[in-house]
Amino acid sequence: MRAYKFLLRPTVRQEQALAEMLRDHCSLYNGALQERRDAYRHTSKTTVRYGDQSAQLKEIRAFDPERQGRWSFSSQQATLRRLDRAFTAFFRRVKAGLAPGYPRFKGTGHFDTVTFPKDGDGCRWDSTPHDRQTRVRLQGVGHVRVHRHRPVRGRVKTISVKREGRRWYVVLACDDVPAEPLPATGSTVGIDMGVTHFLTTSDGEHMENPRFLETMAKELATAQQHLSTFPRRTRRRTKKHRAAARKVATIHAKIRRQRLDHHHKRANELIRDHDVIAHENLNTAGMTKRPAAKPDPERPGGFLTNGAAAKAGLNRSILNAGWGMFLGILAQKAESAARRVIPVDAHNTSRTCPDCGHVAKENRLTQADFKCTACGFTANADHVGALNVLSRAGLVLCDGV
């Protein structure tokens, strides 16, 4: 399966209709959520299921034909399924003893996607092999131009319309997508993810970390400071406040697109040059977790220093690098190109000597320098990590896993 994301180029009227479609689906979502809340609170904790709410759609569409009756029936069912999945996840977290996270009502700025479960049911993907300006037909909107920058392979199953800032996109989920294997190179490589360097290969090559967030930090800080000058009582009510909020969102969207473009290009380079790619199996969520508070035993209600400020800076650098996103893209591209990606245990990869195998914290002198206390082997610390990753991947290949 593969997803394709293309930019939409709607007319002014079509853009207005798309905004109305999101607004009405958001209203349906919030109404269904309110019904579930009321049923649980006032009717002896009765649970309303998806089937019960889906059966009411005909009456809802007949009662409000201007707002609900004009849109695709199947897309409205998909919106109700979205709410049902949110409740399923809520009950699963409750049973597991995690933070419950009860489903919330969606504001107009937080409901940005409408899904059509089947091509041809309320939507139609109209495409020709040689026309890059294809169109997608949406019920209640019309034929919207699509900038198809690459061919679509496989069979289109679901179509989603998504709003990002002031841009509109169509997302196609396709199955039966044929693989596009690349010729074998006979090369195997290990990579070590980092903050100073985005990644280092076992061949000793460093790929620099572009640090997109830091590059745009000054412009982003100026926009956020301007946004914070608006009094709380006037927020979301004035045209100037909405423009300031849009400015901040536009900068974040630019950073996100730059990071995504960088990840795709670096992943393509690795896939093109190597048959097997090994990387550390990183727990990014755990690595960026906030440090626990340390109560002060001598001062009731007081806390000791726990290094939260320094950890916040490291967390920001890790999240800005986007390791998890990059490794996901790498795995998807490898599957399509008939390459193999092997995640290995990341424990002590930068503290193990690749020459004698000695493991010690003292081997890592600084962030960049490695010197084995047993045999005296010296090298770049990131390069050592990549070599150990490659060695562990060789053990996995020998075991036939």
Side-chain angles (χ1 to χ4, degrees), residues 365-386:
L365 298 177
T366 64
Q367 179 67 26
D369 298 325
F370 178 94
K371 183 176 182 180
C372 180
T373 57
C375 68
F377 176 81
T378 60
N380 178 272
D382 294 334
H383 186 202
V384 168

Side-chain angles (χ1 to χ4, degrees), residues 8-43:
L8 289 178
R9 302 189 185 278
T11 63
V12 174
R13 289 187 178 181
Q14 288 175 340
E15 187 172 2
Q16 181 181 1
L18 289 171
E20 292 174 355
M21 180 176 67
L22 286 182
R23 180 200 64 195
D24 294 340
H25 279 75
C26 178
S27 176
L28 177 66
Y29 182 96
N30 290 336
L33 174 56
Q34 185 64 52
E35 181 184 20
R36 292 199 179 209
R37 287 164 59 98
D38 293 342
Y40 185 80
R41 289 180 176 180
H42 307 301
T43 320

Side-chain angles (χ1 to χ4, degrees), residues 186-208:
S187 174
T188 302
V189 71
I191 61 174
D192 179 81
M193 309 299 299
V195 175
T196 304
H197 302 288
F198 178 69
L199 65 84
T200 301
T201 68
S202 55
D203 300 328
E205 179 185 359
H206 298 288
M207 293 187 181
E208 294 301 321

Side-chain angles (χ1 to χ4, degrees), residues 26 85 185 195 198 209 236 238 262 283 285 392:
C26 178
R85 288 194 298 270
T185 63
V195 175
F198 178 69
N209 185 4
R236 303 180 183 176
T238 64
H262 172 263
N283 180 14
R392 295 181 184 185

Side-chain angles (χ1 to χ4, degrees), residues 58-344:
K58 289 185 178 181
E59 298 178 5
I60 294 173
R61 291 165 62 88
F63 177 77
D64 191 2
E66 293 296 327
R67 296 189 59 183
Q68 298 296 339
R70 59 186 293 198
W71 310 118
S72 166
F73 190 90
S74 60
S75 67
Q76 293 172 327
Q77 287 180 319
T79 298
L80 295 179
R81 288 193 189 95
R82 174 177 173 179
L83 176 63
D84 189 64
R85 288 194 298 270
F87 270 96
T88 301
F90 164 72
F91 289 121
R92 185 189 69 245
R93 291 191 294 268
V94 170
K95 291 181 179 179
L98 304 175
Y102 191 83
R104 299 181 180 182
F105 292 102
K106 301 290 186 181
T108 54
H110 293 84
F111 193 96
D112 295 325
T113 305
V114 172
T115 301
F116 299 85
K118 184 180 179 181
D119 182 23
D121 188 1
C123 62
R124 172 70 69 183
W125 173 251
D126 296 328
S127 174
T128 56
H130 304 290
D131 184 12
R132 299 186 66 179
Q133 292 288 355
T134 52
R135 296 179 184 271
V136 58
R137 181 182 62 82
L138 304 172
Q139 180 176 329
V141 179
H143 289 75
V144 186
R145 291 175 58 196
V146 181
H147 180 69
R148 183 171 61 87
H149 59 272
R150 59 172 176 163
V152 176
R153 303 184 184 277
R155 180 171 60 92
V156 177
K157 289 198 64 178
T158 65
I159 298 177
S160 299
V161 176
K162 185 177 183 180
R163 178 179 60 190
E164 293 184 2
R166 307 189 75 172
R167 297 187 179 190
W168 294 87
Y169 295 90
V170 59
V171 182
L172 310 176
C174 304
D175 63 357
D176 300 332
V177 179
E180 301 174 3
L182 296 175
T185 63
S187 174
T188 302
V189 71
I191 61 174
D192 179 81
M193 309 299 299
V195 175
T196 304
H197 302 288
F198 178 69
L199 65 84
T200 301
T201 68
S202 55
D203 300 328
E205 179 185 359
H206 298 288
M207 293 187 181
E208 294 301 321
N209 185 4
R211 302 178 186 272
F212 297 112
L213 183 60
E214 294 182 10
T215 303
M216 301 287 292
K218 185 176 181 179
E219 184 178 353
L220 180 61
T222 302
Q224 289 175 330
Q225 289 170 1
H226 177 58
L227 178 62
S228 65
T229 59
F230 290 87
R232 184 174 296 275
R233 64 179 181 274
T234 63
R235 291 183 180 180
R236 303 180 183 176
R237 299 180 183 178
T238 64
K239 184 177 180 180
K240 289 185 178 179
H241 177 266
R242 290 194 297 270
R246 257 195 320 268
K247 177 65 175 178
V248 174
T250 300
I251 296 174
H252 279 294
K254 181 178 180 180
I255 295 172
R256 184 173 62 252
R257 291 195 300 270
Q258 289 175 332
R259 185 184 296 117
L260 187 64
D261 179 70
H262 172 263
H263 290 352
H264 277 284
K265 289 179 178 178
R266 301 292 83 77
N268 279 333
E269 293 174 2
L270 291 172
I271 293 298
R272 184 178 61 248
D273 298 337
H274 307 285
D275 291 343
V276 179
I277 304 165
H279 66 83
E280 297 170 304
N281 190 11
L282 299 174
N283 180 14
T284 308
M287 296 173 66
T288 56
K289 188 176 181 180
R290 181 184 303 175
K294 296 181 179 180
D296 190 347
E298 299 181 359
R299 291 185 305 140
F303 295 91
L304 298 173
T305 303
N306 63 349
K311 187 65 166 63
L314 177 61
N315 292 350
R316 189 181 304 111
S317 298
I318 293 175
L319 295 174
N320 184 28
W323 296 343
M325 178 188 296
F326 171 75
L327 295 177
I329 292 173
L330 180 65
Q332 294 166 4
K333 291 182 178 295
E335 182 181 6
S336 176
R339 303 301 202 202
R340 185 171 182 183
V341 173
I342 303 177
V344 301

Side-chain angles (χ1 to χ4, degrees), residues 339-356:
R339 303 301 202 202
R340 185 171 182 183
V341 173
I342 303 177
V344 301
D345 183 15
H347 188 60
N348 284 333
T349 52
S350 61
R351 298 177 178 178
T352 303
C353 178
D355 194 22
C356 68

